Structures are given as structure tokens and as C-alpha cells.
């Protein structure tokens, strides 16, 4: 699955290109980067990006970074990050975490949520873009993900009219996610 540029990645990359989020000189982390398309787009917009995925996708990420380095105005590097494991080397919390089509395996939901909790600070903005799928267990997995996510995070769906004019679809959603603020005694 990591060797394909999924539609949600194109939608998120083009959304970033609209300038909706100020990325210049910001610290950005992409989870489940696959080809790195979204993170590389952020780097072309001036962000300092770390694209992360499993060990077996590092070579592909390096090739894509190399092939696009002439477009990068910030910086971009690839690192291994397995969801649910230690994130110390990715601290302090980034300004942005980008995710495109990372919600599809039920087994990965808990590790992904742990990683999001471990990586986010009070000011981290998580942009999660996903294609709503109606086949098999997909609706159930998606429902469970957002249910679990809302325990620690606030969610705001970005309206379709704020997506790129050409790169948008009724079944591809972008959700802006922030850590819930701790309530005092």
C-alpha cells in the first residue's frame, strides 16, 4: 500500500498548496508517508519535514526526495517510525502532523492513536485526509478510529469548498485535529 500515491494524498497535497496552513519554517512530520508526496509538497512550501514510514519504504522515500530536491525550499528527510513505538527522536512536538489514508487496518488503530498522543503538543495541528470507503469493514474501522480519537482530540472537518478546486471529492475528507486542552481542577 505504501508504493501508491493515493487520492487522499493528492487532495491533502493540493490543500496544502492552497496556502490554508502557514508551512514556511514550520516543523512538519508525515505519518505513513508511503511515497512521501504530501511531505515533499510541504517541503516545497518551505516546511522542514520528516517523512516517516516503515523500514521497507525508506528506499522509495529517499528516491522520491532526491528526485524532487530541486523543488524543496524547506528541508525533507526520511526516517523509520513504527506506530506505537518510541517517538523520543521526533521530539519536540512538530507544528504539523500530516496523514493521508492512514485509517484502514483495524490492528493499526491503537498504535496510530498512541503515536499521535505521544507526538502532539498543545499547539500541534494534525491534518488527516482520508477517503471514505464503504466496502467490507472499512466503515466500522473508520467509525472506531474517530470514536477513539475523540477521547483525546478535538476534530474539525474542513469544508469541501476550502479544498483545492480541482483536487477534491465528496468522499475524501480532511479533518483538522488538535489535542484537547487539559482542564484544571
Amino acid at each position: 500500500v505504501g508504493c501508491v500515491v493515493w487520492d487522499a494524498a493528492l487532495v491533502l497535497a493540493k490543500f496544502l498548496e492552497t496556502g490554508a496552513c502557514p508551512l514556511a519554517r514550520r516543523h512538519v512530520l508525515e505519518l505513513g508517508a508511503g511515497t512521501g508526496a504530501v511531505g515533499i509538497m510541504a517541503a516545497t512550501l518551505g516546511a522542514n519535514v520528516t517523512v516517516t514510514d516503515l523500514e521497507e519504504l525508506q528506499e522509495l522515500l529517499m528516491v522520491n526526495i532526491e528526485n524532487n530536491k530541486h523543488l524543496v525550499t524547506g528541508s525533507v528527510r526520511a526516517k523509520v517510525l513504527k506506530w506505537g513505538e518510541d517517538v523520543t527522536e521526533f521530539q519536540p512536538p512538530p507544528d504539523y502532523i500530516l496523514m493521508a489514508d492512514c485509517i484502514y487496518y483495524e490492528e493499526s488503530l491503537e498504535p496510530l492513536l498512541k503515536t499521535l498522543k505521544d507526538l502532539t503538543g498543545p499547539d500541534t495541528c494534525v491534518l488527516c485526509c482520508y477517503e471514505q470507503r464503504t466496502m467490507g469493514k472499512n466503515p466500522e474501522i473508520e467509525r472506531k478510529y474517530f470514536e477513539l480519537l475523540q477521547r483525546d482530540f478535538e476534530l474539525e472537518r474542513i469544508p469541501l469548498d476550502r479544498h483545492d478546486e480541482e483536487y477534491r471529492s465528496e468522499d475524501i475528507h480532511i479533518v483538522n485535529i488538535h489535542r484537547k486542552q487539559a482542564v484544571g481542577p
Side-chain angles (χ1 to χ4, degrees):
V1 293
C3 297
V4 175
V5 179
W6 296 100
D7 290 346
L10 294 173
V11 168
L12 184 53
K14 293 302 271 185
F15 173 73
L16 295 176
E17 200 176 40
T18 68
C21 303
L23 292 175
R25 294 178 300 286
R26 299 298 170 97
H27 175 196
V28 175
L29 194 64
E30 184 183 3
L31 299 181
T35 63
V38 175
I40 292 169
M41 172 62 86
T44 69
L45 298 168
N48 297 313
V49 182
T50 303
V51 290
T52 67
D53 212 313
L54 299 171
E55 181 66 50
E56 55 266 26
L57 288 158
Q58 294 302 302
E59 193 176 325
L60 175 63
L61 284 167
M62 303 288 200
V63 166
N64 290 339
I65 289 168
E66 181 62 26
N67 289 341
N68 290 283
K69 69 180 182 194
H70 63 287
L71 301 169
V72 171
T73 60
S75 66
V76 61
R77 65 187 179 145
K79 295 202 83 160
V80 174
L81 175 57
K82 188 171 180 191
W83 299 341
E85 295 187 358
D86 183 49
V87 297
T88 310
E89 70 173 297
F90 299 97
Q91 297 296 342
D95 298 304
Y96 290 93
I97 294 176
L98 307 174
M99 300 167 44
D101 254 345
C102 289
I103 316 163
Y104 45 85
Y105 291 132
E106 193 164 9
E107 308 74 45
S108 70
L109 294 185
E110 295 282 353
L112 174 57
L113 290 163
K114 178 186 180 338
T115 295
L116 280 175
K117 279 195 274 193
D118 292 348
L119 284 172
T120 53
D123 301 320
T124 304
C125 172
V126 180
L127 291 174
C128 173
C129 185
Y130 68 99
E131 184 169 350
Q132 195 166 17
R133 294 179 169 86
T134 55
M135 304 298 286
K137 292 184 76 174
N138 286 304
E140 182 188 324
I141 292 167
E142 187 184 301
R143 182 193 53 72
K144 183 178 178 184
Y145 170 74
F146 285 108
E147 196 175 280
L148 293 170
L149 189 66
Q150 288 180 70
R151 291 180 184 168
D152 299 288
F153 295 90
E154 313 251 343
L155 289 76
E156 174 203 356
R157 186 170 295 222
I158 294 174
L160 195 61
D161 64 7
R162 289 191 38 218
H163 297 205
D164 179 86
E165 258 179 63
E166 279 184 63
Y167 290 84
R168 66 167 71 162
S169 172
E170 295 284 340
D171 61 349
I172 297 180
H173 308 286
I174 303 173
V175 182
N176 189 338
I177 302 166
H178 282 88
R179 212 62 210 246
K180 282 185 178 174
Q181 298 305 317
V183 181

